[in-house]
Amino acid sequence: MSTPSIRLAVVDDHILFRKGLRALISGFPGMEVLFEAGDGQELLERLDQGTIPDVILMDLQMPVLDGLQTVRLLRAQYPQVRSIIISMHDEPELIDSLRAEGAHGYLLKNASPEEVLGAIQHVIDTRPGSGASKPILTASF
């Protein structure tokens, strides 16, 4: 009997980074990347079509609809979806504003594969009803 998969989406405007992150995640046991998107607008269009991941790994700075704007929309339209922002910026004020807007985690783009895996698992483990208390931030809130 197989364990249930954690379904993910990868959203970044840099194709090479997006493909690399997809390849990394696909190597984690029990995880499946459902789709990729180049910006928040493309992500929301995919969600509106009914493809709903458990976790979205999303770049902060993207054209059309950036990570912060997308997190706000996700919180309102798809509150069950967990979001992890990935960025090269590590200013505490930025991280606090992302948390306030509804992001569930934060990773720096130079995170190790173990940190990526840990952040994904953490946002899944801290879903409402999971029994875990509050999210943290390291790498994840």
Side-chain angles (χ1 to χ4, degrees):
M1 187 176 233
S2 66
T3 59
S5 281
I6 297 172
R7 299 165 308 144
L8 299 107
V10 176
V11 185
D12 195 295
D13 57 319
H14 295 97
I15 296 170
L16 189 60
F17 182 81
R18 197 170 65 221
K19 296 289 184 194
L21 191 54
R22 180 182 195 135
L24 174 71
I25 293 166
S26 295
F28 295 152
M31 295 193 190
E32 169 189 18
V33 177
L34 296 178
F35 65 88
E36 301 171 23
D39 60 54
Q41 183 64 42
E42 188 180 343
L43 167 69
L44 292 170
E45 289 169 4
R46 292 295 299 266
L47 297 177
D48 290 344
Q49 293 169 1
T51 306
I52 312 293
D54 302 306
V55 178
I56 296 168
L57 290 142
M58 180 169 40
D59 189 16
L60 179 61
Q61 294 179 308
M62 298 179 290
V64 186
L65 199 57
D66 70 22
L68 183 59
Q69 295 167 315
T70 305
V71 162
R72 288 179 186 138
L73 294 168
L74 287 171
R75 183 182 67 199
Q77 298 172 19
Y78 298 95
Q80 76 277 23
V81 175
R82 311 299 281 175
S83 59
I84 299 172
I85 296 294
I86 302 176
S87 177
M88 61 184 178
H89 303 286
D90 65 350
E91 297 82 24
E93 302 82 19
L94 171 64
I95 295 168
D96 289 344
S97 78
L98 287 165
R99 180 186 292 131
E101 292 297 338
H104 301 97
Y106 188 86
L107 285 168
L108 290 173
K109 284 199 171 181
N110 66 354
S112 70
E114 295 78 20
E115 288 173 311
V116 174
L117 177 59
I120 294 167
Q121 195 60 58
H122 183 79
V123 299
I124 288 295
D125 292 346
T126 57
R127 287 182 292 194
S130 67
S133 57
K134 65 180 178 91
I136 61 166
L137 175 74
T138 41
S140 60
F141 298 133

